[in-house]
Amino acid sequence: MNMPLITEAPPLNADDAGSLRVGGTRVLLEIVIRAFQDGATAETIVQRYPSLALSDVYSTIGYYLRHSTEVNAYLADREQQAATVQTRVTATQPQMQAIRDRLLAQKK
């Protein structure tokens, strides 16, 4: 029996802001990859985010393992964007930093 080998694209979709989401969900690529990097299995990730399909999580992890340089560059860029937004919000709304500091202190 001949089984056709089909190349499939990773289940990633860019939203209007350029954020990559997994499958047809609102779950961000960085959420899945960071969970995987922290030791979570695909099954655990799906338990945390039930809108995800297990096959999409496995495909996303496989894509990350094959293209870790590119994905890590994307993740670093996303972290830089988040830091820029944080700096802008803190500069324009100093009371927000005080609230954030207080909440982080309570968490500890």
Side-chain angles (χ1 to χ4, degrees):
M1 176 166 96
N2 287 335
M3 185 174 87
L5 299 177
I6 301 169
T7 302
E8 294 183 8
L12 302 173
N13 302 297
D15 64 14
D16 294 338
S19 301
L20 294 178
R21 305 207 180 254
V22 179
T25 72
R26 297 199 36 83
V27 179
L28 295 166
L29 171 64
E30 52 262 39
I31 301 249
V32 172
I33 298 306
R34 294 293 183 222
F36 175 71
Q37 290 172 334
D38 289 341
T41 64
E43 289 80 3
T44 302
I45 295 168
V46 170
Q47 286 175 347
R48 290 180 192 166
Y49 305 97
S51 61
L52 290 170
L54 184 59
S55 60
D56 287 345
V57 175
Y58 272 114
S59 293
T60 299
I61 291 169
Y63 179 80
Y64 166 67
L65 293 173
R66 286 187 302 281
H67 303 281
S68 59
T69 302
E70 295 89 343
V71 174
N72 286 330
Y74 169 80
L75 296 178
D77 184 57
R78 295 286 293 172
E79 287 174 6
Q80 180 59 45
Q81 289 175 17
T84 301
V85 169
Q86 171 104 23
T87 302
R88 189 171 356 133
V89 168
T90 301
T92 60
Q93 299 178 5
Q95 73 274 15
M96 295 302 288
Q97 183 62 40
I99 292 169
R100 183 177 186 278
D101 291 342
R102 189 179 76 237
L103 290 171
L104 288 172
Q106 287 176 357
K107 184 178 178 181
K108 292 179 182 178

